[in-house]
Amino acid sequence: MLIIRDFSFSYDGRRVLDDVSWELGEGEVGIISGPTGSGKTSLLYSLAGFVDEYVNAKILGEIKVFGMDPREALKRGLVYYVPQDPSVSFLGFDVLTELTWKGPDEDRLEEVIELFNLKSVLDKSVLNLSGGEAQKVAIASALLGGYKLIVFDEPLANLDGKSRRSFLSELKMLKEKGITCVIAEHRTELLESYADSVLPLNETPYQLNLQSFSFARKKAEGPLFKGVDMSFSYEGGPPVLSDIKIEVQPGQVISFVGPNGSGKSTLAKIIAGMLRPRGRYQRRGSTSFMLQSPELQFLEETVYREVSYEANRDDLISQSLEHFGLKGKEDRLPHSLSRGERVRLALASSAAKDPDLYVLDEPTEGQDRAGIIAITDFIRQARESGSSVIVVTQEDWFARQVSDQAFVFEGGIVHEAVP
Amino acid sequence: MRLSHKIKLTLSFSVLLLGSLVALLSYNVTLLATGALLAIVYSIAVSGKKVIPLFKASLWVFTGFVLSQAVFYWGFYAGSGATVILWLAKPGSNALIDALTGGKGVAVTYQGALWGVISSLKFVLTLFLAYTFSRTVTPRDVVGFVKRLGLSDEVASGAAITFRLLPELTELSKTIYLVSRARRPHGIKRVTKPFSMLKAIIYASVKRAYTTSIALEIKGPIALRSYAEVEKDEATYELTALLAFALLAFLVVW
């Protein structure tokens, strides 16, 4: 069904994939694993038939999908691509329009709505779906559209624990229905028991070169952020946060944990000064933040200029580039980096600023082991210099590893806990 | 519920049509002011307090337009006989101003102020119409309406995707604006920050357009035939009749 022979892929003058061969049968689940930047997305794009039309890449070797060129398979409506954030691929404005975009028959529509338990969200805007709901809608659309191959780009990245379990059962169901699935994922431990074949790509992660940051020593002059009775709701929506009390002391590392849509990122944005809550709050010192979608915070055209945007010390700029594996990529356009590299660029930009308070939203997203080591070490050094760090994360293990206090979010309410 | 949506839909289409005609064609201050006032009242009826930021923004726009046009009215410099209300710099009072204005000086003119009032009223009317329309008419209504007009799947897809992307691009621009406001660069970068923000919005929008085109290639155009069977609040035949009536009524009044 899917044959890759001696396949090489070069993009932007760099060889991303070299001599890759792989085969996958019909109705099987295949996993493409590898560290960030190893070419997983490039291979997915090649399988989905996007190369030539959307990616200006040089390819060698052969790929056949259902015995034909991937582009031909795409044109025949056989291939469905689910990006890391499925909502960006939705064309409908609400769930019902998205599901019926290709015009399915009524009986199948009812069956799929029932199967994925989507009745309650049919009228919901596709922009307001949680990560788990968006994943369900994408898979349901693929089933209704009659696609035979679904390619997923890091499907677990935006999901909380419950949604991840739900995705795994959906994967099992797709397999039972004879639909072939190819999944690019660097965290393979959850998926391996469902996989018929695993294709490991370039197992060598980026060269770790941990730096000893020359952060300035911060003075402890009272809380960096103190909020009492804070509430927040987005325009016209229900309250996302209610009666929140939080105090961030210098040198503290605090984790925000909880399911998708529980208000973690909203509180992080409030502390970073991006949103204004109701209630009393005060802020002191300089703040730097990393958004969950880091590409939205890049204001410069090269990696170097982005890192130096708020920095005024050359030594910190150089250390940040080196520590986060961006040396040699200084002239690249930030948007052209891989997902994991974009996250590390946002972190490098924060580190080069050397603020009193860091607010990091999902810093482990898209990171392999080397990336996690670099981030953990950076948080440790920032804390030792007297800076505070707020980490928003889905990963309980990471929260336990780096923080000395945790806030558990649940339906707009926040409980304080020791990780 | 169904009836109230239909009424709201019909009203919105009519208000948009009449208001757009007034905004486009009229230069009568009374007609434009009445139109703007009605559009504001209707938007308050639809959205309540949420209109306040828009109202504040339109006050700024109004003041800015009137002041700038009153002082820098093109007719004054083109020599079309504008009536001076107040001289800010008489001809011959300052060599630099004379050089910049061709020896005409700087003055607040009646015609300039009037032109400022007219253009700002047109802008405010359009702003509130667009706001109210987006608040009361769902993309589903528009696609249903396109279907009733008998247009192709491709046209309907275009309408649907435009409606789908507009709020998202607005949200994206808002996030980039907030980020840009919160990030504090040093030196010259402070001055060039607005350009950096603009570039960031362009990059993000192009990237969004890229993912949309990929999705469209995978899914193809919207299937209206099936869409009609599952749509819930379809645009009505009465709506088309009412639009024609509203157009006729406007022409008679005009």
Side-chain angles (χ1 to χ4, degrees), chain A residues 37 54 65 72 95 126 132 197 200 210 223 286 333 368 405 414:
Chain A
Y54 298 99
V65 176
E72 184 60 29
V95 171
V126 289
S197 176
L210 299 182
S286 57
L333 179 72
D368 49 40
Q405 192 181 5
V414 181

XYZ file of all heavy atoms in Angstrom, chain A residues 37 54 65 72 95 126 132 197 200 210 223 286 333 368 405 414:
116
model
N 13.295 18.013 14.266
C 14.140 18.433 13.148
C 14.739 17.280 12.362
O 15.606 17.477 11.517
N 3.514 22.611 -2.707
C 3.574 23.472 -1.528
C 4.966 23.600 -0.923
O 5.220 24.507 -0.158
C 2.609 22.953 -0.448
C 1.186 22.970 -0.904
C 0.569 21.821 -1.372
C 0.461 24.153 -0.904
C -0.743 21.840 -1.820
C -0.847 24.190 -1.351
C -1.442 23.028 -1.802
O -2.731 23.052 -2.253
N 1.929 5.482 -3.092
C 0.792 5.356 -2.170
C -0.353 4.725 -2.955
O -0.755 5.257 -3.991
C 0.383 6.753 -1.635
C -0.849 6.657 -0.757
C 1.522 7.396 -0.860
N -1.084 12.082 -7.004
C -2.245 11.491 -7.696
C -3.247 10.959 -6.650
O -4.458 11.148 -6.779
C -1.737 10.355 -8.610
C -2.796 9.688 -9.465
C -3.508 10.636 -10.424
O -2.891 11.627 -10.847
O -4.707 10.397 -10.700
N -18.833 22.641 13.605
C -18.495 21.223 13.469
C -19.352 20.556 12.378
O -18.839 19.771 11.559
C -18.657 20.507 14.829
C -18.524 19.003 14.681
C -17.623 21.030 15.818
N -15.561 25.905 15.043
C -14.340 25.085 15.028
C -13.175 25.805 15.716
O -12.189 25.177 16.085
C -13.930 24.699 13.579
C -14.873 23.691 12.997
C -13.776 25.905 12.701
N -8.628 17.934 22.151
C -9.214 16.602 22.010
C -10.404 16.605 21.066
O -10.559 15.710 20.219
N 4.374 -1.037 12.310
C 5.732 -0.791 11.842
C 6.206 0.578 12.352
O 5.419 1.514 12.422
C 5.743 -0.815 10.315
O 7.011 -0.487 9.832
N 12.335 4.603 12.341
C 13.111 5.573 13.131
C 13.935 6.470 12.204
O 14.593 5.980 11.290
C 14.011 4.694 13.996
C 14.032 3.360 13.328
C 12.984 3.294 12.272
N 25.342 22.513 26.560
C 24.773 23.291 27.669
C 25.733 24.388 28.115
O 26.933 24.145 28.237
C 24.443 22.364 28.843
C 23.423 21.262 28.561
C 23.157 20.441 29.813
C 22.118 21.816 28.018
N 7.042 40.058 46.169
C 6.489 39.258 45.066
C 6.570 39.957 43.712
O 6.426 41.172 43.627
C 5.033 39.043 45.488
C 4.747 40.032 46.540
C 6.040 40.377 47.191
N 10.771 42.865 35.451
C 10.609 42.582 34.016
C 10.109 41.163 33.798
O 10.392 40.263 34.589
C 11.934 42.783 33.304
O 12.911 41.960 33.898
N 14.938 32.043 8.775
C 13.672 32.705 9.092
C 13.013 31.921 10.233
O 12.852 30.704 10.116
C 12.778 32.678 7.844
C 11.399 33.285 7.952
C 11.495 34.800 8.026
C 10.549 32.898 6.749
N 12.537 16.660 21.994
C 13.066 15.321 22.263
C 13.854 15.384 23.573
O 13.829 16.398 24.259
C 13.946 14.868 21.092
C 14.940 15.944 20.711
O 15.480 16.585 21.633
O 15.152 16.175 19.518
N 6.281 24.305 43.328
C 4.872 24.508 43.675
C 4.041 24.296 42.406
O 4.505 24.626 41.308
C 4.656 25.935 44.192
C 3.308 26.139 44.827
C 3.115 27.573 45.319
O 3.960 28.435 45.109
N 1.992 27.831 45.956
N -8.732 26.912 40.754
C -7.325 26.527 40.867
C -7.030 26.032 42.276
O -7.368 26.687 43.254
C -6.421 27.739 40.542
C -4.956 27.353 40.635
C -6.731 28.278 39.162
